[in-house]
Amino acid sequence: MKIRLFATVAAAAALFATTSVSAQTVFTVSSWLPPTHAASVAQKTWCDQVEKESAGRMKCNILPKGVVAAPGTFDAVRDGLADISYTVDGYTPGRFIFTQVAEFPFLGDSAVSTSVAYQRIYNKYFAPLGEHRGVKALAVFTHGPGIIFNAKKPVTSAAEAASLKFRIGGGNINELSKAMGWNTTLKAAPESFELLSTGVMDGTFFPDESITSFKLSMIKHATTFPGGLYNTSFVFMMNQDKYNKLSPQDKAVIDKLSGEHAARLFGEGWDRMDAASRDNQKAQGVQRVMADKAFVKAVMDKQDYLETTWAARAQVKGLKNPRDVLNEFRAEIKKVK
């Protein structure tokens, strides 16, 4: 009798263990940036929050390196090579139009304010139009204000910028560079060290954080702009089929931690890394100058062209009153605390 009872209890325990294991959802998570990068750290923090909020029903398996190079990340998540990752919308030129609203010059001095405001505008206008069709867009965000960095000389005018070769990350900064007549090449961020260390490029357009994250010790000069020369639009995403297969309870957890919550998480992480990198740059001997009124005006003179071009493209894609949306975005940035 005791043997039979023991066998029954053991079988029940084994069944429970099997059910518990099978009930757990494990997300394959990819990052094309170093694990110490602000975006990678924010992604891991989000994963930790998902595991905690779901009482362990969901967890992340963060891969040691990206499943593909940065430009292929959107398709990799869409096709299921990874369940979760993030990418720069501008790494695939012409594919995403609405997202460029977050990339214009002089938008703001904080990644938190631009990211949270961007998420609000995205939810209201862009998500219904399927800008990231094919994946589950968990959040959108931006990095901190864009800066001109180089290893050669101070850049205090548009003409001085035109005398150097720069790496850029795509999006509206690509359009601005063309309009300004600057010599720029579209390359993913992780390629920056090799491009600069070999002298193929003289500098790069980056937020502060990137000088530390990519160990760009050759950088000696930085030119900042009020509100940033540009921003970069990112999407944080999940494979749609993976999301669809979640239970209603687990979908509720993902939804709770997505949207504005995740946008703020990424923005706060970027602001912290920007601040830390500025301290490191002092030790590195980077000389910082603020663009003067003439330099700012030279950029502003191209602003209307950039906005008009974007508005026309966005309207063709179905966005009504793009100029009003841009103005609303700027107003929303000022509201975010």
Side-chain angles (χ1 to χ4, degrees), residues 42 46 49 110-120 138-142 236 257-272 332-333 335-337:
W46 185 87
Q49 292 175 351
S110 161
V112 168
S113 60
T114 51
S115 295
V116 172
Y118 179 27
Q119 184 69 56
R120 292 172 183 174
L138 300 172
V140 292
F141 62 97
T142 77
F236 178 46
L257 297 176
S258 298
E260 194 169 316
H261 172 87
R264 185 176 289 276
L265 180 67
F266 278 90
E268 287 175 345
W270 217 301
D271 282 344
R272 284 194 298 271
E332 201 65 45
I333 291 171
K335 296 179 187 177
V336 177
K337 302 299 182 184

Side-chain angles (χ1 to χ4, degrees), residues 7-328:
T8 302
V9 171
L15 177 62
F16 176 78
T18 302
T19 303
S20 297
V21 171
S22 63
Q24 187 179 65
T25 298
V26 179
F27 299 111
T28 300
V29 180
S30 175
S31 176
W32 42 272
L33 289 169
T36 54
H37 189 281
S40 298
V41 171
Q43 181 170 249
K44 183 184 184 305
T45 300
W46 185 87
C47 280
D48 292 342
Q49 292 175 351
V50 166
E51 184 170 359
K52 182 179 179 180
E53 284 283 334
S54 68
R57 293 189 309 277
M58 294 182 287
K59 66 179 296 183
C60 294
N61 174 30
I62 300 177
L63 301 176
K65 65 177 183 178
V67 294
V68 293
T73 302
F74 183 91
D75 290 342
V77 173
R78 182 197 63 191
D79 297 340
L81 295 180
D83 296 321
I84 296 172
S85 192
Y86 53 82
T87 194
V88 173
D89 292 302
Y91 280 172
T92 48
R95 186 171 191 171
F96 305 106
I97 302 300
F98 305 142
T99 59
Q100 292 179 19
V101 75
E103 300 182 342
F104 289 115
F106 317 128
L107 285 175
D109 292 312
S110 161
V112 168
S113 60
T114 51
S115 295
V116 172
Y118 179 27
Q119 184 69 56
R120 292 172 183 174
I121 294 298
Y122 182 90
N123 288 345
K124 186 174 180 179
Y125 296 105
F126 305 155
L129 294 174
E131 178 72 326
H132 291 110
R133 190 177 294 107
V135 301
K136 170 68 175 177
L138 300 172
V140 292
F141 62 97
T142 77
H143 61 41
I147 297 168
I148 296 178
F149 288 104
N150 83 90
K152 299 291 186 180
K153 62 181 183 180
V155 171
T156 60
S157 69
E160 287 176 344
S163 69
L164 299 172
K165 298 174 293 182
F166 292 97
R167 181 223 71 98
I168 58 172
N172 258 326
I173 188 58
N174 189 39
E175 302 302 319
L176 174 62
S177 297
K178 290 178 182 177
M180 298 295 294
W182 293 341
N183 185 357
T184 57
T185 301
L186 174 60
K187 293 288 184 180
E191 298 183 49
S192 299
F193 183 87
E194 182 177 359
L195 292 169
L196 271 69
S197 62
T198 58
V200 174
M201 295 291 159
D202 301 313
T204 180
F205 293 179
F206 261 149
D208 272 314
E209 159 277 326
S210 299
I211 304 307
T212 297
S213 291
F214 297 111
K215 299 178 171 59
L216 302 183
S217 58
M218 70 290 294
I219 293 296
K220 296 301 177 186
H221 302 279
T223 304
T224 64
F225 293 76
L229 177 64
Y230 72 101
N231 281 295
T232 293
S233 165
F234 290 76
V235 57
F236 178 46
M237 58 197 160
M238 178 184 287
N239 176 267
Q240 186 68 60
D241 288 342
K242 192 79 171 184
Y243 176 82
N244 292 343
K245 291 176 182 177
L246 296 176
S247 69
Q249 184 182 16
D250 286 348
K251 284 180 180 176
V253 171
I254 297 297
D255 293 345
K256 175 185 176 181
L257 297 176
S258 298
E260 194 169 316
H261 172 87
R264 185 176 289 276
L265 180 67
F266 278 90
E268 287 175 345
W270 217 301
D271 282 344
R272 284 194 298 271
M273 290 291 286
D274 274 350
S277 182
R278 284 192 289 272
D279 290 338
N280 291 341
Q281 288 173 47
K282 290 179 183 178
Q284 187 173 313
V286 176
Q287 299 178 27
R288 297 173 76 90
V289 296
M290 173 68 80
D292 61 18
K293 291 182 179 179
F295 199 172
V296 170
K297 184 179 184 303
V299 175
M300 291 183 69
D301 286 345
K302 305 299 182 183
Q303 183 101 353
D304 186 66
Y305 162 77
L306 292 177
E307 293 179 7
T308 300
T309 301
W310 170 79
R313 291 173 179 169
Q315 198 157 23
V316 168
K317 290 286 187 177
L319 182 64
K320 297 179 180 178
N321 303 315
R323 287 277 194 171
D324 292 342
V325 172
L326 176 55
N327 291 335
E328 185 176 341

